[in-house]
Amino acid sequence: PYLRESDVVWKTTIWRAIDMNETFNQYMYFPQDNERNTQGRINLVNLIVTTAANGDFDVYEDDDMKIPQEWDKARANLAGQQVIRVDTGEEDEDGNPIYVDSTAPGEPDFESFKKVMLKEYWYIDKQDTRQKVRIVGLCFIFDKMTYQAGTEVPLSGQKSFWVPMNEMNVRQVLVNANAYEASNDVAERSYDDIFIQRYFDSYITRESNVYNRSIDDYLTGEDAILRSQDIENKIFDIESDMWEY
């Protein structure tokens, strides 16, 4: 719904990750083979990539959604690179054709997309004095293979592009695609329902801060987990601390 800026009395920006290795989140990851009988379902990354490639909505390089990214560049980033052998048209002294290795964009490997990054605004609306959340951006995190100095090199934790979740065209795509409901085949949820109802398991990776850094920039292991939980608790405490009994 429309929100007046003057109605927002407090706001913070949160980045969180949805790990699709978690059992609860695997309905976003499967089915992988969309050519088979999948009851009309499609996984989240395939849905976003397919519709973005069709030009249904724009994608962006930055999480502020201010720098548009052309789809050819976005696709090349998703796919990584593959080595192909090119015939030079020449022959060696034995009469054998001479080939050289060249790199070219590969095909996106949807199985390598294991995380979803969300950017959210948590705010308090003075009209009803309630704390609310709005998801404003989505980005896929994936692993890919590329080539450096002729050697295949794995690159992990790569970001794809940012999808503006508040745009009508994006919401229309999410509304029209259903995800699998493990406990009840009748209770189908669209991907739009999933994000609005927050039907996913996630953890915070960053909050807006003076240093403009993520948690893993200064903490690791259990300390990072505790810091993520601390930020989560602080956000929910803000709403309850508004009231006096």
Side-chain angles (χ1 to χ4, degrees):
Y2 174 73
L3 176 68
R4 295 191 310 171
E5 288 188 16
S6 59
D7 287 338
V8 177
V9 294
W10 170 86
K11 184 181 81 170
T12 188
T13 307
I14 293 294
W15 290 260
R16 66 174 65 244
I18 300 174
D19 189 348
M20 288 187 279
N21 287 316
E22 294 284 345
T23 302
F24 187 83
N25 297 326
Q26 287 187 350
Y27 65 86
M28 294 185 181
Y29 184 72
F30 295 104
Q32 280 296 318
D33 187 355
N34 291 290
E35 300 298 327
R36 298 182 180 180
N37 181 17
T38 55
Q39 301 173 328
R41 292 184 289 110
I42 184 172
N43 65 28
L44 181 61
V45 63
N46 211 326
L47 172 68
I48 294 295
V49 169
T50 300
T51 50
N54 292 336
D56 292 358
F57 53 82
D58 294 328
V59 297
Y60 296 84
E61 294 184 11
D62 61 323
D63 59 10
D64 289 327
M65 270 71 75
K66 293 182 178 179
I67 306 175
Q69 187 175 55
E70 294 184 1
W71 179 248
D72 290 343
K73 182 178 178 181
R75 186 188 180 283
N77 183 41
L78 291 176
Q81 294 180 327
Q82 61 178 347
V83 172
I84 56 175
R85 301 192 68 192
V86 179
D87 190 349
T88 62
E90 301 177 356
E91 296 181 349
D92 60 17
E93 57 185 15
D94 296 325
N96 299 317
I98 299 176
Y99 296 93
V100 295
D101 289 340
S102 177
T103 59
E107 291 296 326
D109 178 15
F110 293 128
E111 293 186 9
S112 66
F113 290 78
K114 297 294 181 66
K115 287 184 181 180
V116 179
M117 183 73 69
L118 299 181
K119 181 182 180 181
E120 305 172 335
Y121 292 152
W122 286 80
Y123 63 95
I124 293 176
D125 186 347
K126 73 177 183 181
Q127 292 295 330
D128 54 12
T129 61
R130 291 177 55 197
Q131 187 185 65
K132 300 176 183 178
V133 59
R134 180 165 294 186
I135 300 174
V136 295
L138 177 149
C139 177
F140 294 104
I141 308 297
F142 64 102
D143 300 332
K144 70 178 181 181
M145 302 300 294
T146 189
Y147 288 85
Q148 297 177 2
T151 304
E152 192 174 42
V153 178
L155 298 177
S156 60
Q158 300 298 298
K159 292 183 179 180
S160 57
F161 45 78
W162 283 93
V163 178
M165 295 290 280
N166 276 337
E167 281 194 8
M168 183 63 69
N169 291 342
V170 176
R171 295 290 296 279
Q172 192 68 31
V173 168
L174 297 175
V175 164
N176 290 326
N178 288 331
Y180 179 66
E181 171 56 65
S183 59
N184 188 353
D185 286 349
V186 177
E188 289 185 338
R189 284 185 172 91
S190 70
Y191 280 110
D192 191 63
D193 293 331
I194 285 167
F195 289 116
I196 290 178
Q197 299 169 8
R198 306 190 65 78
Y199 191 71
F200 52 80
D201 190 16
S202 64
Y203 58 92
I204 292 176
T205 61
R206 177 184 168 193
E207 68 171 336
S208 53
N209 61 86
V210 66
Y211 303 108
N212 195 29
R213 62 183 182 180
S214 302
I215 293 175
D216 58 9
D217 289 335
Y218 60 97
L219 292 173
T220 59
E222 186 177 350
D223 291 333
I225 296 173
L226 292 175
R227 178 57 182 158
S228 175
Q229 294 173 346
D230 181 57
I231 296 172
E232 195 89 59
N233 293 335
K234 183 182 70 174
I235 291 172
F236 289 114
D237 286 344
I238 287 174
E239 183 177 27
S240 60
D241 289 346
M242 289 192 303
W243 301 94
E244 185 174 340
Y245 299 96

